[in-house]
Amino acid sequence: MAVNFWEYLGNRHQQLLTDAFQHASAVFQCMVVATVIGITLGVVTYRSDWAGNLATTATSTILTIPSLAMIGLLIPIVGLGVPPTVIALTLYGLLPIVRNAIVGLRGVDPSLVDAARGIGMSRVAQLARVELPLAWPPILTGIRVSTQMLMGIAAIAAYASGPGLGNEIFRGIASLGSKNALNQVLAGTLGIIVLALLFDAAYVLVGRLTIPRGIRV
């Protein structure tokens, strides 16, 4: 089995690399959008208990929808391919970012905000130069958690003819009993695991570069 699997990788490496690139690209782009939306929601709602709870509840409700059902519901609206994949992944990526943004911003020492206000900083300057930098560690943790979730969920995109390594897994499942069925499922699964580890290592590096040593968690 090991020899057959390595032979399979050698024969299919071009397609596997293409699928891996598309998978990573889809997750990365959706994470950028989810991060912008999630942090914005956190900034808008963190000062109000009811607004913060509403944002957290709304985004957590999205996660209760099975990913296959979500994509299935989106297909009649936006069609097959990339659109349902992007919409579904972006929505699923929101909760950890929104929740951690709210928690992080609420955890900033009020005396630091008062000091910034006392030296004449505007509300926007306080947020950009004091609150968000101090809240960045938990926000980055939320981004890491979202990325790990989306790596797995993105495989379901193959159901809607979306890009990524899920196509390899679905092809294997569809041809169960054939000589390469297990190799296809295994190649797709291991590819997703490797991508998830690479993304997480990149986030560790980003954290070391962007979080001052004194506030690292």
Side-chain angles (χ1 to χ4, degrees):
M1 171 55 70
V3 173
N4 290 337
F5 177 66
W6 292 115
E7 288 178 354
Y8 176 80
L9 291 183
N11 294 333
R12 296 275 297 171
H13 71 277
Q14 192 76 35
Q15 183 62 51
L16 289 170
L17 288 174
T18 299
D19 287 342
F21 175 78
Q22 292 177 344
H23 198 102
S25 178
V27 170
F28 176 75
Q29 292 178 62
C30 292
M31 279 307 308
V32 170
V33 177
T35 298
V36 172
I37 295 173
I39 293 177
T40 301
L41 284 173
V43 167
V44 170
T45 62
Y46 83 98
R47 287 179 169 271
S48 167
D49 285 341
W50 73 265
N53 290 337
L54 178 62
T56 302
T57 301
T59 52
S60 63
T61 299
I62 294 171
L63 282 182
T64 66
I65 304 173
S67 53
L68 195 59
M70 170 76 81
I71 292 175
L73 291 171
L74 289 170
I75 289 174
I77 302 172
V78 298
L80 295 169
V82 174
T85 301
V86 170
I87 294 172
L89 292 184
T90 301
L91 291 175
Y92 281 125
L94 288 176
L95 174 60
I97 302 172
V98 171
R99 182 179 56 201
N100 282 32
I102 292 173
V103 170
L105 288 167
R106 286 178 177 174
V108 174
D109 189 341
S111 64
L112 297 176
V113 179
D114 290 339
R117 188 183 302 114
I119 62 174
M121 280 190 185
S122 66
R123 179 72 191 90
V124 173
Q126 293 170 37
L127 184 66
R129 298 176 62 183
V130 178
E131 294 176 274
L132 280 175
L134 291 174
W136 176 238
I139 292 173
L140 183 59
T141 298
I143 294 172
R144 289 176 66 181
V145 171
S146 285
T147 302
Q148 298 304 304
M149 288 196 314
L150 296 197
M151 277 296 171
I153 295 174
I156 306 299
Y159 173 75
S161 301
L165 289 163
N167 289 295
E168 195 72 14
I169 296 172
F170 272 73
R171 280 193 293 266
I173 294 174
S175 60
L176 284 177
S178 67
K179 63 178 182 179
N180 278 326
L182 182 58
N183 288 333
Q184 289 175 311
V185 175
L186 190 58
T189 302
L190 290 177
I192 291 172
I193 292 172
V194 170
L195 286 179
L197 293 174
L198 290 174
F199 267 71
D200 203 55
Y203 284 131
V204 171
L205 179 60
V206 168
R208 290 189 176 277
L209 294 175
T210 60
I211 300 173
R213 183 174 299 178
I215 62 172
R216 286 181 191 167
V217 293

